[in-house]
Amino acid sequence: MPEKKTTARARKDKREGKSASTQAGEYVREEIEHVREGKHGARSAKQAIAIGLSKARRDGVKAKPSKSASKSTKKKAAQDSRASTRKRSAGTAVKKSASRKRATGTSARKSSARKSAAKKTTARKSAARSQASTAALKREGRSAASKRALSAQGHKAAAKRSASSRSASAKKAARTKGTTGRKTAARKAARTRARKAS
């Protein structure tokens, strides 16, 4: 389950009209922090990012996988998206049955039957599988969340994209950053250039 502050940041991004990938970035950031804190490990930076994206999709973020993604990745993304839909529909079903009970005064037996039907719509992961996956992650190291590992992953991902795609993303980022954000980014870039030159 994602932390409340992470969900709140993602909802804020959505209200501000930011893209689904930006919203999903909040969950990825949380996952990277968890690895760094030692809550669990990760085999690679790619795995840590994948866990964060899965959390985001299960929480209702419409982050679509890339067209070049593997069949298994697309299948997992669809599965996570369906899980978020089931969670929302189950919640609304319970609310509707409760309001109907108050309005019409139906029997407690009928309302409990509706609640059990709503619960059935949410497929639950078995406790044994959940514990096994958590234990497996805890056995992994923490180097996957290091700055070097994340930087290497970023360069690999960027290398797969075309120059025009990278350029379009950079232009969009500059537009949505705002004046203050652009100034801060420019200062940071100048500091980086100066550090590399020396």
Side-chain angles (χ1 to χ4, degrees), residues 97 125-126 154 166 174:
S97 66
K125 188 179 181 180
S126 75
R166 293 198 303 271

Side-chain angles (χ1 to χ4, degrees), residues 96-143:
K96 279 180 183 176
S97 66
S99 61
R100 227 181 273 125
K101 184 190 169 188
R102 282 196 299 271
T104 58
T106 51
S107 65
R109 194 171 61 223
K110 282 183 180 177
S111 65
S112 64
R114 283 195 201 104
K115 280 180 185 178
S116 62
K119 278 178 186 174
K120 280 176 187 174
T121 58
T122 312
R124 290 195 66 179
K125 188 179 181 180
S126 75
R129 283 182 70 184
S130 180
Q131 284 164 11
S133 58
T134 306
L137 281 174
K138 281 185 177 178
R139 285 196 296 272
E140 299 293 348
R142 286 192 283 171
S143 60

Side-chain angles (χ1 to χ4, degrees), residues 22-76:
T22 305
Q23 294 166 43
E26 299 295 348
Y27 296 87
V28 174
R29 179 185 172 186
E30 181 196 283
E31 208 53 42
I32 296 295
E33 287 302 316
H34 283 183
V35 175
R36 284 177 178 168
E37 287 164 9
K39 286 187 178 178
H40 61 77
R43 188 160 291 185
S44 62
K46 198 172 184 178
Q47 188 189 34
I49 291 164
I51 294 166
L53 285 171
S54 179
K55 268 188 184 180
R57 290 183 184 120
R58 282 179 173 273
D59 212 30
V61 176
K62 292 173 183 175
K64 292 179 182 176
S66 64
K67 289 175 184 175
S68 59
S70 66
K71 198 178 280 185
S72 59
T73 303
K74 285 176 181 175
K75 187 182 176 182
K76 180 74 173 80

